[in-house]
Amino acid sequence: MKETIYIFSAGTLKREDNSLVFITEENQKKHIPVENLKEIFVFGEVNLNKRLIEFLSKKEIMISFFNHYGFYVGSFYPREHYNSGFMILKQAQYYIDNEKRIYIAKKIVEGAARNSLKILRYYKNRGRKLDNHISEIEKNVEKIFRIEEIPKLMQVEGKIKKIYYESFNEIINSSGFKFTKRGRRPPIDRINALISFSNSLIYSIVLREIYATHLDPRIGYLHSTNFRRFSLNLDIAEIFKPIIGDRTIFSVINKNIIGVKDFEKSLNRVFLNDRGKRKFIEILEKRLNETVKLRKIGRNVSYRTLIRMELYKLEKHLLEDEVYEPLIMEW
């Protein structure tokens, strides 16, 4: 399986012969083989040049950049090797046709909601008081099927997320972490900082998996396709944020892997420091590489592979080979 590398130090990333080398500000060199390299996530102040970009494009390696606070800035997306004009037309056709678009969008919201419910039921069975949260989300899930407009669907999705996030205080057992309300830009507390950082990583991970398919990331269905660079990765990420991101958040807090000292506060924002980011990424990577058994295919697959499979299912739906149904945890 190809790897992701994360760069937190300041320095220069450059091509050296047929591989990469990272040179720190202290002039220390670290060679990076490219044979099994899938993507690079840059958090530090890194210099690079056109020669490197050309090499990354040739090797089909994506490089994504995050700012000091851990927010996604953008990606260098290698030239599309798999994009097909036919698939782009299909994606556009399903976007323009409201009936076709709303079906996909509703399935994405349903998948995200049902995966959130799976997590809440898991913790309910372990003594957490989550009956009201579960009941309220279930009521809103029923509303999804009666909606025929994207703005109204987004409203219901927002209600479900609000109830779901309010359940975090029942799940998390650390006095240093309390959820009050969702505050994105900037994150207003440690929980929000973790949610925002986790989401940024998952958006980028999904984008890389889209690159390996025939799909165009610029055409999404729940999130409108407009002047935003990418939207399909935001759609698919909704299904996986509870499964991968939120479970990682609960794990790093409840197991005392991340604590108060792993955060910084600047003006009116709270964010993970580099030590905290490293800790979170280490656990997230372990989660991505874990395998689960899918009954439908009768074999174990990693969480990262599940993302790719979800994209293949969407492809089949657009080609009218198989009706799209979202991944819902069965393990």
Side-chain angles (χ1 to χ4, degrees):
M1 184 178 291
K2 291 198 171 185
E3 298 178 346
T4 302
I5 65 165
Y6 301 84
I7 299 176
F8 290 93
S9 305
T12 300
L13 182 64
K14 59 189 291 188
R15 175 182 181 178
E16 190 170 275
D17 297 324
N18 205 36
S19 65
L20 301 176
V21 63
F22 181 71
I23 306 170
T24 68
E25 290 184 323
E26 294 76 30
N27 209 34
Q28 295 178 330
K29 280 188 174 184
K30 180 172 182 179
H31 290 273
I32 305 168
V34 298
E35 290 77 14
N36 292 313
L37 183 59
K38 173 184 286 193
E39 60 196 343
I40 303 169
F41 284 8
V42 177
F43 295 90
E45 294 296 326
V46 173
N47 298 313
L48 44 85
N49 58 25
K50 185 170 76 72
R51 187 166 180 260
L52 171 76
I53 294 296
E54 289 172 350
F55 183 63
L56 294 178
S57 180
K58 180 182 176 182
K59 296 295 184 180
E60 301 179 32
I61 298 169
M62 186 180 296
I63 182 167
S64 296
F65 300 90
F66 299 79
N67 67 16
H68 176 63
Y69 303 107
F71 288 122
Y72 174 74
V73 174
S75 298
F76 168 70
Y77 193 79
R79 65 182 185 273
E80 289 90 351
H81 290 273
Y82 302 104
N83 264 9
S84 74
F86 181 73
M87 183 59 76
I88 292 172
L89 288 173
K90 278 292 185 181
Q91 280 184 259
Q93 175 188 336
Y94 273 68
Y95 182 84
I96 294 167
D97 186 317
N98 183 68
E99 184 178 344
K100 291 179 177 179
R101 179 187 174 188
I102 197 74
Y103 174 84
I104 297 172
K106 286 196 288 189
K107 285 297 175 181
I108 289 167
V109 175
E110 180 192 357
R114 293 199 185 282
N115 284 326
S116 299
L117 284 169
K118 287 271 187 178
I119 290 169
L120 297 189
R121 291 188 184 110
Y122 170 87
Y123 282 100
K124 175 182 176 294
N125 292 336
R126 283 152 182 79
R128 306 299 206 277
K129 297 177 181 178
L130 295 166
D131 288 313
N132 289 339
H133 299 91
I134 291 170
S135 175
E136 287 302 310
I137 291 176
E138 286 175 337
K139 289 176 186 176
N140 279 281
V141 169
E142 290 304 313
K143 294 178 183 178
I144 293 171
F145 308 109
R146 299 191 294 271
I147 294 172
E148 296 303 329
E149 296 175 16
I150 294 293
K152 290 182 179 178
L153 180 63
M154 295 289 280
Q155 288 175 6
V156 172
E157 185 211 22
K159 289 179 183 177
I160 291 171
K161 281 186 176 179
K162 182 176 182 294
I163 299 162
Y164 174 63
Y165 285 135
E166 288 170 352
S167 75
F168 279 27
N169 287 333
E170 295 293 333
I171 296 171
I172 292 167
N173 54 20
S174 172
S175 60
F177 295 85
K178 292 296 178 187
F179 182 85
T180 52
K181 65 177 181 178
R182 185 72 177 104
R184 293 174 177 80
R185 289 183 179 269
I188 57 175
D189 54 36
R190 298 181 192 107
I191 291 288
N192 275 284
L194 281 168
I195 294 170
S196 293
F197 185 61
S198 175
N199 289 351
S200 287
L201 292 173
I202 292 173
Y203 294 146
S204 300
I205 290 163
V206 174
L207 180 62
R208 178 59 183 83
E209 295 305 318
I210 292 173
Y211 177 71
T213 72
H214 297 292
L215 295 165
D216 191 307
R218 294 169 293 185
I219 305 175
Y221 298 96
L222 176 63
H223 296 86
S224 295
T225 297
N226 45 34
F227 295 106
R228 183 191 287 122
R229 181 71 178 92
F230 303 121
S231 55
L232 184 59
N233 61 323
L234 306 184
D235 284 2
I236 301 301
E238 294 299 333
I239 296 166
F240 290 94
K241 285 193 289 189
I243 299 173
I244 299 171
D246 298 341
R247 290 173 71 201
T248 301
I249 291 171
F250 301 149
S251 181
V252 297
I253 296 175
N254 289 341
K255 293 181 180 178
N256 297 315
I257 295 168
I258 285 181
V260 174
K261 293 181 179 179
D262 294 307
F263 295 83
E264 293 180 21
K265 190 169 185 177
S266 174
L267 298 176
N268 61 339
R269 69 179 68 207
V270 178
F271 58 96
L272 280 162
N273 57 31
D274 282 351
R275 182 182 60 218
K277 290 175 189 148
R278 289 174 191 266
K279 289 179 179 180
F280 188 88
I281 286 169
E282 181 182 354
I283 304 304
L284 183 72
E285 276 291 326
K286 287 180 180 178
R287 175 82 63 193
L288 286 166
N289 293 322
E290 282 180 13
T291 61
V292 292
K293 188 167 185 177
L294 290 186
R295 295 173 195 160
K296 187 174 180 180
I297 61 174
R299 64 182 176 88
N300 290 340
V301 295
S302 70
Y303 281 91
R304 190 182 280 272
T305 302
L306 286 173
I307 298 172
R308 179 84 61 88
M309 291 173 66
E310 197 69 11
L311 296 165
Y312 288 154
K313 287 194 296 182
L314 182 57
E315 279 188 341
K316 289 181 179 180
H317 179 82
L318 296 172
L319 295 172
E320 300 178 2
D321 289 339
E322 183 179 303
V323 176
Y324 174 70
E325 291 290 339
L327 173 73
I328 297 171
M329 286 193 296
E330 58 186 37
W331 51 93

